[in-house]
Amino acid sequence: MRPEIVTFWHGPLDSLRRLCLRSQVAAGHKVTVYSFEPLAQLPDGVANAEAETILPHTFAERLRPARPDGVWIDRTMLQFSDFFRMRLMAKNAGLWLDADVLLLKTIEIDAAKPYFAWERPRQLGNSVLYLPANDPIVSAFDGLMAQDELTPDWLSLQHRFTFLLHRLRGTKRISEVRLAIYGPAALTALARRAGELSSALPKKSFYAVHAEPKLFFEPQDFSALIGDPGIIGFHISPKGRGNQQPVPGSLHAWAAEKFR
C-alpha cells in the first residue's frame, strides 16, 4: 500500500523543510501537514489540515508550565509532536514523516504491520513511523494520555530514579526533566515490550546522514548515498541550517536541483 504522508508543524516552514515536502510529493505520495495556523509557502501538492481535530492546542499545557504569552518553546513542539503522531496513528491517518525527511523513492507499507527504522544501534527513530490503529504502542500512548501527569509506565529504572530525584526538588512532571522521553526512547521501549523490534528497517534506510549533518550540507562525494538501493530517504535534522543556501557540490545542492 502507498500511504498518505502526514506530519505536524508549528510556526513558519523554512526552505529545507519545503524542499523535503517537495521530495515527498515527487515520490508519488499525497502529503498533508497539520498545523494550528495556516501555513504559507507550502509546495504544490501539499495539503494543510487543522491540527485541532487531531490533538487540541491546550494539550501543550500538560507538557510544560504555562507561559504568560502562550509561546511554545522548542521542547514544547518536540514533545507535542510525539503525541500528535501517535494520535494520527490511532486515527489511521497515514505514514508519519518528519518535515525534514528527504524522500528518494516511494514508500510501500503493509497496513497491518509497523513501519519504522533503527536510528542508533539500540534505538529506533520516530521520524518515520507507521503503526496500525490497534497496535499495542498506540494503545500505550492512549493510556498515557488519560493520566494527569503523563508519566510513562515503560520508563527504565535509571529514568525512574532520575525523575524521583527531580521530584524531591519540586519538579512535578517528567516532561520537564527529559526532552525526548516520549520520542525514540518510548518507541523503542514499547516496541521491545510488544515484540516488534524485528520489524525495524536498517539504520541506513532513513538515518544515513542524521547524526552527521556535514554529509548533507558540505561538499563531498555523495554518489554512494544516492546510489544505495537500501536508502529510502534521509532524515536531515538541520539544527539551525534550515534556511542555509545550498553549498555547491553538496548533497543539499543536489537535492535542491532535483526537487525544485
Side-chain angles (χ1 to χ4, degrees):
M1 181 188 79
R2 180 182 300 181
E4 176 178 351
I5 290 173
V6 291
T7 196
F8 167 79
W9 192 254
H10 188 69
L13 280 165
D14 57 39
S15 59
L16 176 68
R17 288 174 172 86
R18 293 196 299 272
L19 167 62
C20 290
L21 291 172
R22 290 197 298 272
S23 76
Q24 296 168 19
V25 173
H29 291 274
K30 179 181 178 182
V31 181
T32 299
V33 181
Y34 288 82
S35 64
F36 289 112
E37 302 289 342
L39 291 174
Q41 297 181 301
L42 278 175
D44 292 343
V46 178
N48 192 193
E50 176 54 63
E52 193 76 19
T53 64
I54 304 298
L55 187 61
H57 187 282
T58 54
F59 183 79
E61 301 307 327
R62 298 176 60 192
L63 297 170
R64 61 168 175 81
R67 288 178 52 176
D69 56 9
V71 172
W72 289 17
I73 57 177
D74 288 345
R75 182 179 71 191
T76 312
M77 180 169 166
L78 287 172
Q79 293 183 340
F80 188 91
S81 68
D82 289 334
F83 284 94
F84 197 91
R85 74 194 74 195
M86 288 298 176
R87 294 309 303 149
L88 288 170
M89 299 302 106
K91 293 178 179 291
N92 199 31
L95 166 73
W96 170 281
L97 292 188
D98 276 9
D100 55 359
V101 173
L102 185 82
L103 205 54
L104 299 183
K105 59 186 71 173
T106 305
I107 297 176
E108 300 285 346
I109 66 171
D110 181 338
K113 297 180 180 179
Y115 187 92
F116 41 59
W118 292 106
E119 179 181 21
R120 299 175 183 173
R122 292 184 296 277
Q123 181 171 284
L124 299 173
N126 70 343
S127 303
V128 178
L129 179 65
Y130 169 79
L131 297 167
N134 62 351
D135 190 273
I137 299 173
V138 178
S139 299
F141 265 83
D142 284 344
L144 177 63
M145 294 177 70
Q147 296 181 19
D148 291 331
E149 294 186 351
L150 299 175
T151 303
D153 67 0
W154 56 80
L155 290 177
S156 67
L157 184 61
Q158 178 183 354
H159 289 165
R160 290 178 185 277
F161 180 70
T162 300
F163 184 39
L164 176 61
L165 292 179
H166 280 268
R167 292 202 77 159
L168 293 174
R169 298 170 189 161
T171 301
K172 295 182 179 180
R173 290 176 289 189
I174 199 166
S175 60
E176 300 174 47
V177 179
R178 286 187 58 81
L179 178 65
I181 196 66
Y182 306 117
L187 178 62
T188 306
L190 289 171
R192 180 179 294 110
R193 190 164 78 179
E196 296 179 346
L197 290 179
S198 61
S199 296
L201 296 170
K203 175 186 173 181
K204 72 175 183 178
S205 302
F206 291 99
Y207 299 101
V209 305
H210 174 61
E212 300 182 72
K214 66 180 182 179
L215 295 178
F216 184 79
F217 290 103
E218 297 179 11
Q220 61 192 287
D221 181 4
F222 50 82
S223 57
L225 288 172
I226 61 174
D228 190 327
I231 293 179
I232 303 167
F234 301 111
H235 180 219
I236 298 165
S237 190
K239 301 188 187 312
R241 305 191 198 188
N243 283 315
Q244 175 180 302
Q245 287 296 312
V247 177
S250 67
L251 180 54
H252 186 191
W254 173 86
E257 177 64 23
K258 182 175 178 62
F259 301 112
R260 285 190 296 177

